[in-house]
Every structure is written in structure tokens, then in C-alpha cells.
Amino acid sequence: MTTLKNYINGKWVESKSLSTTDVINPATGLTIAKVPEGCREDISDAAEAANEAAIQWRNTPATQRIQYLFKMKQILEASTDQIAEICTRECGKTYGESKAEMVRALENIEVACGIPTLMQSAFSEDIATGVDEFMIRQPLGVGASISPFNFPIMIPFWFMPYAIACGNTYIVKPSEKVPMTMTKIFELFESLNLPKGVLNMVHGGRETVDAILAHPFIPAISFVGSTAVAKHVYQTGSVNGKRVQAQGGAKNAVVVMPDADEDTTVRIIIDSAFGCAGQRCLAASVVITVGESSKAFPSKLIEMAKNKKTGYGMASDVDMGPVITKESKERIESLIQKGIDEGADLLLDGRDLAVPGFEEGYFIGPTILGNVSTTSQAYTTEIFGPVLCIVQAETLDDAIEMINKNRYGNSACIFTRSGAAARKFRHNALAGNIGINIGVAAPMAFFPFSGWKESFFGDLHGQSSHAVEFYTQTKVVIERWNDEWTRKF
Ligand code: NAD
């Protein structure tokens, strides 16, 4: 059984931690690799290497730095199938979903290739006679990303390409549940011939994260994961004087107005709720039916959800893979039961699903709960599985109020044919990513991945101009050049 290695200072090295965690294929329940639990020494080694490499790297012109990114895009694109297969094996999502993740990762590399323009800044000539003032953006030094299990390929790319394009060196810490995908990506990165120490990868869990939060050589940290850990990372990192952006959990509502185009809406909501087995931070997990739409709409959702085939993600006819761990499956099933005990109607039950040939896998089929109370745990908790709750509202204002009371604010969507309803919704809904007749409001790489309330801690988000601002610090220069000084020549 392979124990994965860290990539530090241009070399594959064993972790200094002696303990390991099993990496499990969630479709089979079998261990497919071992990953080190990680320790402070591993982070120290990576931070020292990255710090050492930082001076030469920031002095490499941006036009040269992005040449590595052009090549990075090419090598990843050429190996998409191989990377996607590893992703499906360790994460469970379908092969198609893994490939789609790669597309979103590549988009971020493409945007970061525009750094020579994106890093440009302001210049004011003649703020006084012979005096000019301007601002320049400079890298911070060493950055680090800490990512969750659900997008093993994409999420580090919301940050890393921008950070290194801006002249920082970097440490990637993948989720210990899905460390093989990024290990493969780093193997491919070897052919980039980046200067040693510019890109490093350290495996591990809590101890590794805490070491990143404490290390004096790492001034900027990007985190994505659950809200509880996002808060811990944001608070501890800030207390230690670091710049932190921490994206947290979600409970996204989709509002269905009576005038919504029924077929399109049903199809899109089912894809949003059950794609990636509901383990997407932008998944629709609550449908709010407004007025008349409460009557026929739930039965249409059930019909469409029943057609989703759950099974091993590498099979071509499968729509939905397993959830990530045995513990996740148990937790999701107990939240379904809790919802029923708290008065919800079980409209579709995905528990006790048998997938022939994969009896030990962590499968749950699409599950729909109707008449869910807004005080019940099924409504208030992030279930992070293939469970859709339906609640009713009398008016659009009531629906918006429900969304605004939610402690999370990752995304909110509306389905309607009315421009006025759509406008009111986008103006008033308290969420960072808004969808109008869209089920997964995932921003393209040239927009920031927003997120409000307890779905985000920090100021600047991942992707696009926000990532550039996050990974640079501004320096303002005021210069005087007296005309008389030149007359001597
Ligand atoms: P998680 O919080 O358990 O783990 C995320 C990372 O934090 C991992 O790298 C893990 O090693 C580390 N970690 C876990 N516990 C820790 C602790 N106690 N101290 C320090 N570090 C710790 O999240 P997960 O289960 O891997 O991912 C699912 C969560 O991520 C969901 O809540 C989902 O909504 C969220 N998510 C959010 C976004 C977003 O953009 N807002 C995107 C994807 C996923």
C-alpha cells in the first residue's frame, strides 16, 4: 500500500509524521492509499523552502512567470482523463463530474495568465509641481491553501495560480480524504521545471493546518471547508497577524415562482440538488415553492429525481456517486430520520440503496423531504448529501425573508419568468452568489467566488481580481523630480 509523499523544495519527501490515515474509495469501502497525518516539521520544511525561493521568484518578471502557467494548463489538459479517474476513485463523484472540475481549474489558470495586466495599478501625475504619485502591487512572500474533499482538483486553483503569478511561492495542503488527485497533479508539475521551492505540497489534517496558521513565514492563507473550521482558521490566522480568506459551509435555497418554466426548473433543480451526490457548496438543498407552485411542483421533482441512477462513478450510465465516508453516510441518514421525526413528509427515500457489486460503498439515493419546518434540523443544518428539503412560502417577500434568516449566505437562486421578481430577488437576497433561472450559481474564474454571512470569513474572495488583491500588497510611492536638475546636462 503506497504512503503518499510530500513535495518540498522540488523533491518528493516522506513526512516526518509516523502516523497515517487511510484513503478510501467511497464506492467500494476499500483502502487505496495511505496519507501521512502530517506535522509541524513538514510545514516548517515547506515554509523554509518556499521562503528561500520567494526572493528570486518575485524578481522573475511577471511575463516570464506566466510562461509556467501556460505550460501548466497544457500538461493538465493533456492528462485530464488520468486525473479525473483518480479523482473519481478517491472522491466518488462521476467521471464526468471530475472532468468538469478540471475545466473550472483550467479557467483559473487562464485568468491568472493575465497577471501582467491584472497587477497594473494607479498613477497620478503632478499631484504637485514636479511630483507624481503611484501605487505598485508586490507579492507577500509565501501563501498556502487548505482545501476540502469535495473538489480535489478545482479548489486549490481558485488561489494558487494567482498567488504564484503575482510572484508569491506556495504550499498546497489537500484534503486528507482525497490526497491522491493533487499528488498526481504535482507529479505532472515536475515537467514544468519551476525553480525549486516555488510550489510545494504538504499532506495532513488538523496538525498540518494548525502549523500553517502558526508559521511566521506564511503571511497569507486561503481556506475552503466547513464553517466551524473556517472560523477557527480565520480567527487563529488573524490573531497570528496573517491575511486570511476562509470560505465555509452552506445551505442554499432555490425559490420557485408560480410563473417559472416548469420543465427547465425541475431539471435544473434536480441536477443542482443531486449532482456530486449533493456534496457541492452551491448545491440546492432547500426548495421554497411560492404560492401556486406548491401544488404540482413537488411531484414533478420526485418524478425527475427517481430517474437519477446512483452507482460507481466510473460507470458511464451513472448520474450520482457515493458520499465521501461511512461516517458521512450515517450522519446524512440520521438527519433524514431527524427531519421525519420533526414532522417532514418523506417524499422520496434514498436510504438502504443497494448498488450491485458495490455492497460496501457509501451510497444514498436522491431523497426528498416535503413540508419541512424552518425550525427543524433538516432545514437549519448543512446536510451535505443528496437530500432536498421542500418548504412553502406565500409570497416572494416571505421566501426572501426565509433566505435572509439563514445563517449561511453562499448562494440563493430564483426561477421565474418575471423580470421584476428576479430584480427584487437579486437586490434583496442576502447571499454572495445569486442565480436567476440557474441552479448552481458558480462564478466563472474572471469573477470572485463570493459568499456571505457564515459562508465566508474575510474581505477578498478567491478567483479573479479578488485573488490578485489578496495575494499582493500595495505600496504607494510619491516622487519628486525637479526640472532644474536636468538643466545641468
Ligand atoms: P472540513 O472543514 O472538514 O475540512 C476542510 C479542511 O480543513 C481539510 O483540509 C481538513 O484537513 C482541515 N481540517 C478539518 N478539521 C480541522 C480542524 N479541526 N482544524 C484544522 N483543520 C481542519 O471540510 P470537508 O468536510 O472536507 O468539506 C466539506 C465542507 O466544505 C462543507 O461544509 C462545504 O460546504 C464546504 N465547502 C465550501 C465551499 C465554498 O466555496 N464556500 C466550497 C467547497 C466546500
Side-chain angles (χ1 to χ4, degrees), residues 255-272:
V255 175
V256 180
M257 296 299 286
D259 65 352
D261 178 90
E262 209 169 73
D263 290 347
T264 315
T265 306
V266 169
R267 182 177 49 76
I268 294 178
I269 291 180
I270 291 300
D271 281 347
S272 172

Side-chain angles (χ1 to χ4, degrees), residues 193-216:
N193 293 321
L194 268 165
K196 283 192 290 187
V198 170
L199 267 184
N200 307 274
M201 178 187 56
V202 177
H203 290 296
R206 185 182 184 149
E207 198 178 328
T208 309
V209 172
D210 287 340
I212 292 172
L213 295 174
H215 203 287

Side-chain angles (χ1 to χ4, degrees), residues 100 175 191 194 207 221 225 248 258 271 316 326 345 375 379 447:
S175 162
S191 68
L194 268 165
E207 198 178 328
I221 298 169
D271 281 347
S316 56
K326 190 164 180 274
D345 302 330
T375 54
Y379 179 85
F447 285 96

Side-chain angles (χ1 to χ4, degrees), residues 234-245:
Y234 185 69
Q235 286 168 353
T236 314
S238 306
V239 165
N240 290 340
K242 294 173 193 303
R243 191 179 277 205
V244 184
Q245 47 181 196

